[in-house]
Amino acid sequence: MGMLQCLVLVLVFSTCVVATSAQGTNEDGSDGRKPYIVYMGEVPEPGSSTLAMTTTTTTTGHNNLLTTAIGDADLARESKIYSYGRSFNGFVARLLPHEAKKLSDDDRVVSVFPNTKLKLHTTRSWDFLGLPENTKKRNSRIESNIIVGVLDTGIWPACPSFNDSGYGPPPAKWKGKCMKGHNFTGCNNKIIGAKYFMGDKMPDPSDDGSASPVDDDGHGTHTASTVAGVPVHGASLYGIAKGTARGGVSSSRIAVYKVCWNAYCGDMDILAAFDEAIADGVDLISISIGGPSRNFLTDAIALGSFHAMKRGILVSASAGNNGPYTSTVQNVAPWLITVAATGLDRQLKTVVKLGNGKKVSGNSINTFTPKKQMYPLTSGARAANVTSDIYGNASACDTWTLNPQKVKGRIVLCKGQSNQDSTIKDLKGTGTIMTQYEVNDFGYTPLIPATYVLVKDGLKIEQYINTTKNPTAVIQRTRTVYVDAPFIASFSSRGPQHINPNILKPDLAAPGINILAAYSKLPSLTGDLADSRHYMFNMMSGTSMACPHVTAAAAYVKSFHQDWSPAAIKSALMTTATPLKIKPLEAELASGAGQIQPMKAVHPGLVYDISMNDYISFLCKEGYNSTDIRKLIGGKKKYNCSDFKPALGTDGLNYPSMSYLLLNSTSRISAVFHRSVKHVGYGNSVYRAKVTSPKGLSIRVTPSTLTFMKKHQTRSFTVVVKGAPMKGTTQILAALLEWDDNRHKVRSPIVVYRHTTS
């Protein structure tokens, strides 16, 4: 898998739901029909005036509604792609714009939106997070009954990380299935479910072999093993980062839902996977997929995770890989966990040794061991073709600019960064050194021995080449060194979010740089067809790698607190997280509450819980109308916003963090947050508020002392934030509220930022 794919990570969900294959036209067919998702809210209860609850009658109702919109029953049947009906109500069909408009005007429909393609957003990480392999603080029996649903690119079941030795049969609650296909003969007692979704491109498995839950990308295998892979001792990437590779909840079961093909994941397939996973009986869902933020009623991940949350299933999702730019965070619905990526205290270094004895440290994941002590060294400029100017810049080793005879058998210094290793490999060079003004904090796996060095070091190497008769060098295999951590990954997307700017996103952070985990043997290490390396483990970077760490941490907490709601588990992870040791300029806009501490989250002391009524009040405050909310929630009860207690305060939700957007940069700071916390500790407890605030912010907590006489008792408080307009170039002010009873420290970040225009 290449660097770009590695940074754009996602999760896997593969299955076939109640689907009718559309015949005839293609997505870009001449008749102009394109796939649209027709979302109709919750599955109706038996006896309701809309569709009946059975799959058959739900499908019939969809067909009738579609026939009315299109005007032809046969064309309607051919146009339909999916019927959703196990966990929520809706369907997908090829529609013309006026047909989509007609359906959106129907009272039974919540929203109609076009199918869009989203992108795919270890040996050390769990020890780094303070969750050692042999900790006695595990509920192994309960952990073994936890089922994690992974929506991604599929899975490679032959990996040692998915060995089911010692496992009993799947939990009795499991209702899912295991689909078979090319290179995928079935599941075991570790991988208990596997389904794939290909929308209207669902071929017969006997055709070309593409219809299968098998992971032909590697991403899904990597994320699934990070969540729940069994311990594999002596794991490494060709000896790099050797140790024990394991998942955070290594006893838990895995159900995969393949929704991504060639690094792209369709809305309609993602919703189909959610529909199946919820009904199958998963306990948590991990999805490392994302795209631009949208209104919740037209966002497949927001909708799917809402119905999961409604049934007690926590969803964690990746924040995106568009950092270091602000306002790039994705997956921002308040009912899911949005995960940023951090670096470990382990960094990769690839050293270049020159013939004069000097060494230069570079960055890559170089798996190649030198066969010689030294190799001839040249530069792109010295290896140029006579006509190189016609084709590009020879110093940068642009394609067609180099003379093959001057490259063959040599290491080549190439200015800039454009994956020149591919060009040098084609010309039979033995390695390449590339330059960057700032070396990335994540590693790139080259096709041949290669590394990136700083521009200033590249100039030193170039001077050596130009002043030496027979310059030589060797690129050593990558080794690990220890660095200060955690720190936010450069590529990790930052807030503030666009949909609900007063809800801080991302929520928290977890390791996502150079994570070693299981990998499929179908793709090469880089995904390049010219790469002959196939291995059972690989290193990948991205918020896709961070997301399954949080999924596993949530599963770990759930194994001790099976009755906790998704919001309570999320709160426990957020309020026990550690603020980053090395903070970027954006601070909490990049990392939320900080990096997870799974073992501390088991005993958080207090939790910020959120009920369904709280979410309804929040949606009403955000402008969603009563009709849509009634369809979203389902049931016979008629929901009206006027029937619910108004959502109070600046954000209107009992969230573990507090955030306030200043729309006018000249306005004074004035925000109020209403919060309640539930005591989940033991015995009597008295918590006192401690506020750490920067100059320019005045924060008052009322009351400043919370007394609890028994477990599950709830207490409320108010946080008032005041301040003068932000001065100069200041864009963000961050404070911290900490409730302390001498045993627990319950932390909540408070962030005020002002709106800026790009």
Side-chain angles (χ1 to χ4, degrees):
M1 175 174 293
M3 177 174 66
L4 180 58
Q5 275 182 285
C6 196
L7 285 179
V8 196
L9 312 164
V10 65
L11 264 58
V12 62
F13 229 157
S14 52
T15 187
C16 220
V17 294
V18 184
T20 303
S21 296
Q23 305 282 325
T25 59
N26 295 318
E27 180 165 341
D28 297 319
S30 57
D31 67 352
R33 292 186 175 275
K34 297 182 181 296
Y36 282 82
I37 295 164
V38 181
Y39 174 67
M40 301 174 68
E42 184 56 84
V43 175
E45 293 182 356
S48 68
S49 59
T50 56
L51 301 177
M53 193 170 177
T54 66
T55 301
T56 301
T57 52
T58 298
T59 303
T60 301
H62 294 162
N63 292 341
N64 292 340
L65 183 59
L66 187 56
T67 298
T68 301
I70 293 179
D72 183 289
D74 291 335
L75 182 55
R77 281 192 296 271
E78 292 175 358
S79 298
K80 188 154 70 68
I81 299 169
Y82 281 129
S83 272
Y84 308 135
R86 295 190 70 192
S87 305
F88 48 84
N89 191 9
F91 60 91
V92 182
R94 292 184 182 281
L95 301 172
L96 297 172
H98 75 276
E99 296 165 348
K101 176 63 168 60
K102 188 172 183 179
L103 284 167
S104 67
D105 292 338
D106 192 288
D107 291 340
R108 292 166 288 183
V109 173
V110 176
S111 59
V112 178
F113 53 99
N115 175 64
T116 58
K117 290 182 178 180
L118 306 183
K119 290 185 177 181
L120 295 173
H121 275 200
T122 93
T123 53
R124 175 64 186 156
S125 58
W126 289 113
D127 288 328
F128 180 64
L129 292 173
L131 186 60
E133 178 184 356
N134 297 318
T135 178
K136 295 180 180 179
K137 295 182 179 180
R138 280 194 186 275
N139 279 340
S140 296
R141 182 184 60 82
I142 296 174
E143 190 178 299
S144 180
N145 285 323
I146 289 178
I147 305 167
V148 180
V150 185
L151 281 70
D152 212 294
T153 62
I155 198 163
W156 180 252
C159 288
S161 297
F162 307 126
N163 188 307
D164 70 344
S165 178
Y167 280 83
K173 63 184 177 182
W174 176 243
K175 300 180 181 66
K177 296 179 180 179
C178 184
M179 299 175 68
K180 297 181 180 180
H182 186 65
N183 284 321
F184 197 92
T185 56
C187 299
N188 58 19
N189 286 328
K190 177 66 175 178
I191 305 171
I192 61 173
K195 297 177 178 179
Y196 60 88
F197 300 85
M198 297 179 70
D200 57 340
K201 297 180 178 64
M202 186 84 71
D204 187 289
S206 63
D207 288 349
D208 59 6
S210 60
S212 171
V214 76
D215 184 7
D216 50 14
D217 179 278
H219 187 272
T221 299
H222 198 280
T223 54
S225 67
T226 301
V227 178
V230 301
V232 180
H233 302 287
S236 70
L237 177 58
Y238 288 100
I240 300 172
K242 190 172 184 179
T244 299
R246 59 188 173 93
V249 281
S250 56
S251 297
S252 294
R253 317 300 181 106
I254 299 169
V256 298
Y257 301 81
K258 184 174 181 178
V259 297
C260 300
W261 310 83
N262 298 321
Y264 287 97
C265 326
D267 278 343
M268 59 183 177
D269 295 332
I270 291 170
L271 271 175
F274 269 110
D275 189 36
E276 290 286 300
I278 295 167
D280 285 345
V282 303
D283 295 291
L284 303 100
I285 291 175
S286 189
I287 177 166
S288 295
I289 304 170
S293 297
R294 290 175 280 171
N295 174 292
F296 295 148
L297 296 182
T298 60
D299 185 321
I301 295 176
L303 289 172
S305 60
F306 181 87
H307 288 280
M309 174 276 298
K310 190 170 180 285
R311 289 162 176 79
I313 301 168
L314 178 62
V315 177
S316 58
S318 49
N321 300 307
N322 295 318
Y325 306 107
T326 57
S327 301
T328 55
V329 64
Q330 302 173 0
N331 294 321
V332 298
W335 43 80
L336 54 74
I337 302 181
T338 308
V339 186
T342 59
L344 297 171
D345 57 355
R346 176 188 71 193
Q347 197 171 56
L348 303 179
K349 292 293 181 183
T350 304
V351 173
V352 177
K353 184 178 180 181
L354 303 178
N356 60 7
K358 293 184 178 180
K359 295 181 179 180
V360 175
S361 181
N363 175 45
S364 67
I365 305 175
N366 178 40
T367 68
F368 301 98
T369 301
K371 295 180 180 180
K372 299 179 182 179
Q373 287 191 341
M374 285 287 163
Y375 295 83
L377 174 66
T378 189
S379 65
R382 283 181 165 258
N385 273 325
V386 176
T387 58
S388 63
D389 290 344
I390 299 175
Y391 301 105
N393 183 0
S395 294
C397 302
D398 289 345
T399 305
W400 308 114
T401 64
L402 303 182
N403 184 330
Q405 298 305 315
K406 296 180 181 180
V407 172
K408 185 176 180 180
R410 292 176 171 83
I411 294 174
V412 184
L413 172 67
C414 302
K415 293 184 177 181
Q417 52 182 52
S418 58
N419 298 349
Q420 294 99 324
D421 56 310
S422 178
T423 299
I424 303 304
K425 177 181 172 65
D426 290 342
L427 298 176
K428 300 186 177 353
T430 59
T432 183
I433 303 166
M434 298 160 283
T435 63
Q436 295 177 323
Y437 283 100
E438 185 176 352
V439 173
N440 292 327
D441 50 15
F442 57 90
Y444 158 71
T445 304
L447 294 171
I448 56 176
T451 191
Y452 288 104
V453 301
L454 289 171
V455 169
K456 64 177 184 178
D457 291 325
L459 292 174
K460 293 177 183 177
I461 297 173
E462 186 175 33
Q463 183 181 27
Y464 165 70
I465 293 171
N466 293 335
T467 58
T468 305
K469 185 175 181 181
N470 295 304
T472 58
V474 65
I475 301 173
Q476 297 176 350
R477 194 175 64 153
T478 296
R479 60 186 178 87
T480 59
V481 297
Y482 289 94
V483 294
D484 220 5
F487 56 90
I488 200 71
S490 60
F491 55 77
S492 189
S493 290
R494 272 73 161 160
Q497 59 150 309
H498 297 292
I499 305 302
N500 304 109
N502 290 329
I503 299 291
L504 180 63
K505 290 284 183 172
D507 292 306
L508 35 67
I513 293 179
N514 299 333
I515 303 301
L516 183 77
Y519 198 67
S520 173
K521 279 199 171 183
L522 290 181
S524 66
L525 284 187
T526 60
D528 195 302
L529 295 177
D531 190 356
S532 61
R533 293 167 297 172
H534 297 264
Y535 207 64
M536 64 183 70
F537 293 97
N538 201 356
M539 278 191 171
M540 299 178 73
S541 298
T543 54
S544 286
M545 281 57 257
C547 176
H549 280 92
V550 170
T551 307
Y556 177 70
V557 173
K558 188 176 181 66
S559 71
F560 290 89
H561 305 287
Q562 298 174 75
D563 60 334
W564 280 13
S565 69
I569 295 174
K570 176 180 177 178
S571 171
L573 291 170
M574 290 178 66
T575 61
T576 59
T578 303
L580 293 193
K581 189 174 183 179
I582 305 168
K583 291 188 176 182
L585 293 175
E586 303 86 5
E588 286 73 11
L589 290 179
S591 61
Q595 180 154 282
I596 55 170
Q597 295 190 91
M599 293 186 73
K600 286 191 175 183
V602 172
H603 303 291
L606 305 173
V607 295
Y608 294 82
D609 212 348
I610 304 176
S611 69
M612 180 56 66
N613 284 355
D614 294 331
Y615 283 122
I616 295 173
S617 296
F618 168 78
L619 290 171
C620 290
K621 178 182 173 68
E622 291 299 311
Y624 293 87
N625 64 52
S626 298
T627 301
D628 288 342
I629 291 174
R630 285 201 300 270
K631 295 170 186 173
L632 190 67
I633 304 302
K636 297 180 180 179
K637 182 179 178 180
K638 292 187 178 297
Y639 292 91
N640 290 300
C641 286
S642 59
D643 297 335
F644 292 86
K645 183 180 178 181
L648 301 176
T650 298
D651 54 1
L653 199 61
N654 193 39
Y655 218 68
S657 59
M658 301 169 211
S659 178
Y660 174 51
L661 167 64
L662 276 171
L663 291 174
N664 189 332
S665 60
T666 61
S667 298
R668 294 186 62 83
I669 298 169
S670 180
V672 180
F673 302 95
H674 296 265
R675 294 294 188 265
S676 63
V677 285
K678 183 191 296 184
H679 177 41
V680 293
Y682 297 97
N684 299 347
S685 290
V686 178
Y687 283 84
R688 291 178 174 82
K690 176 185 176 182
V691 175
T692 305
S693 180
K695 185 178 180 180
L697 277 188
S698 169
I699 300 177
R700 186 177 76 252
V701 181
T702 307
S704 59
T705 300
L706 301 177
T707 302
F708 298 90
M709 305 303 295
K710 59 183 179 179
K711 192 174 183 179
H712 294 159
Q713 197 168 21
T714 299
R715 291 285 183 261
S716 298
F717 62 94
T718 302
V719 178
V720 178
V721 182
K722 298 280 188 182
M726 290 188 188
K727 296 180 180 179
T729 59
T730 302
Q731 298 295 327
I732 177 173
L733 294 172
L736 182 70
L737 167 62
E738 185 176 87
W739 290 103
D740 191 343
D741 71 342
N742 296 321
R743 289 177 295 176
H744 308 92
K745 295 183 184 297
V746 186
R747 303 186 189 95
S748 291
I750 302 172
V751 180
V752 179
Y753 59 95
R754 64 178 179 179
H755 179 76
T756 57
T757 56
S758 56

